[in-house]
Amino acid sequence: MLPIIDGHNDTLLAATSDRAGGDFLAERDDPDGHLDLARAEEAGLAAGIFAAFVPNEGEQEDWSELPPAVDHERARRIVDEQFETLHDWADATDRFRVIGDIDDLDACLDGDAVGGIPHIEGAGAVDPELVNLDSLYETGLRSLGLVWSRPNAFAHGVPFEHDATPDIGPGLTDAGFDLVEACEDRGIVVDLAHLNAAGFWDVAETVDAPLVVSHAGAHGVSPASRNLTDEQLDAVADSGGIVGCTFGTAHLRPDGERGKDTELSTLLDHIEYFADRMGVEHVGLGSDFDGASVPEAVGDVTGLRDVLDGLEERGFDRADREAIAYGNWRRVLGEWWR
């Protein structure tokens, strides 16, 4: 069974809030959510990028508008709590480990444990002067999404709109350029998911490392503001980078609907589009488990096997499937990490 590296999940949020998901370590006959340890092992998930995420304060009624920025102190408290939860899971069992370097990742690929890579989705927890970046690194941070779909001191995100372009709003702030350079110096992956077009191009012109977009779809298949245009895909490929294909139905379907009845073929269409445009060596998986509505044909983490089987049926040979399942993520993470 091919091991799998998944580029994005929100399971930490599910475990520390009232979202479906609950206890990651619990053995349950009828589990909630998309991802827990038992199902990860069943699926052959070697490692995933586990996002710490700060929810909005209050209800968001119109998702075509950007939510307000989050308070830094609140963001830091929530991220600390979610990272502590990740480490608690690792302390509780040798079946799960927190990944801090490429050797840890390779051990998980060899089957030693399921691994979690600590990530922050939206840099609101980072002080604008970067004074706490080193302490976040010490607590495990190895990947950082500059934004979620709201602004912060560093960059600007995109609203959740269909039939829309990511080319909206200004690029990185001065603090954003400093953060990107500081992350590259420390070996913290800079994730461009949710970032607007101007910010994307600012990062592309700043880093020497491969461009990483942990979870997104192809704008050429589903014209959502969250998805990547052909020009952005070309830039990722030129950098030697990777795009993790999202499983979120609203960003897969050409009509922009969120229906769980979305067919597996629609997800495969995006992966095939990425491979045709960029080359298979720049394609990965970025499910957004526990953070998005995913097709019933996938269901949960165990459906990753069905995705790989679907790729085989479309003519992706074993080497292609190995690259998409884990090889491309392993290569790119190895190039970023110190």
Side-chain angles (χ1 to χ4, degrees), residues 13-268:
L13 176 63
T16 55
S17 69
D18 58 1
R19 286 194 178 192
D23 187 353
F24 178 74
L25 302 180
E27 302 281 351
R28 294 164 295 193
D29 293 333
D30 186 21
D32 296 324
H34 295 141
L35 174 61
D36 55 36
L37 181 57
R39 284 180 289 170
E41 292 171 330
E42 179 183 347
L45 182 70
I49 296 180
F50 281 68
F53 176 76
V54 180
N56 292 327
E57 290 192 272
E59 294 295 324
Q60 181 78 16
E61 296 183 1
D62 184 359
W63 287 100
S64 67
E65 296 182 358
L66 290 175
V70 298
D71 174 73
H72 167 66
E73 293 302 326
R74 173 175 171 265
R76 181 61 197 271
R77 288 195 303 271
I78 291 173
V79 166
D80 285 347
E81 175 190 0
Q82 293 182 9
F83 275 7
E84 182 178 355
T85 296
L86 193 70
H87 285 283
D88 286 346
W89 293 342
D91 290 341
T93 177
D94 60 6
R95 294 161 53 201
F96 182 80
R97 70 169 58 181
V98 176
I99 291 174
D101 57 33
I102 201 66
D103 290 338
D104 288 338
L105 180 58
D106 285 341
C108 291
L109 287 169
D110 288 340
D112 288 4
V114 175
I117 300 165
H119 170 86
I120 298 175
E121 186 173 21
V126 179
D127 183 90
E129 300 298 324
L130 311 187
V131 295
N132 65 336
L133 186 60
D134 285 330
S135 64
L136 285 167
Y137 184 88
E138 290 301 317
T139 58
L141 179 66
R142 293 298 181 272
S143 176
L144 176 66
L146 294 179
V147 291
W148 184 64
S149 286
R150 59 192 171 204
N152 58 35
F154 307 103
H156 299 80
V158 291
F160 293 92
E161 288 189 295
H162 197 68
D163 292 324
T165 172
D167 188 9
I168 179 173
L172 301 184
T173 65
D174 289 344
F177 281 105
D178 291 343
L179 176 58
V180 168
E181 292 172 359
C183 285
E184 188 172 14
D185 287 345
R186 289 159 177 78
I188 300 170
V189 174
V190 175
D191 178 12
L192 307 186
H194 290 272
L195 190 63
N196 66 359
F200 177 100
W201 295 115
D202 282 344
V203 175
E205 293 170 4
T206 300
V207 299
D208 292 324
L211 298 180
V212 175
V213 185
S214 63
H215 59 301
H219 199 271
V221 178
S222 176
S225 57
R226 266 279 286 116
N227 286 343
L228 298 175
T229 65
D230 287 350
E231 292 76 17
Q232 289 174 309
L233 297 178
D234 293 344
V236 172
D238 289 345
S239 76
I242 188 170
V243 177
C245 186
T246 183
F247 292 12
T249 57
H251 302 128
L252 293 177
R253 293 169 61 113
D255 62 8
E257 296 296 322
R258 296 179 181 272
K260 292 183 179 180
D261 60 346
T262 302
E263 295 181 357
L264 180 60
S265 61
T266 305
L267 168 58
L268 299 176

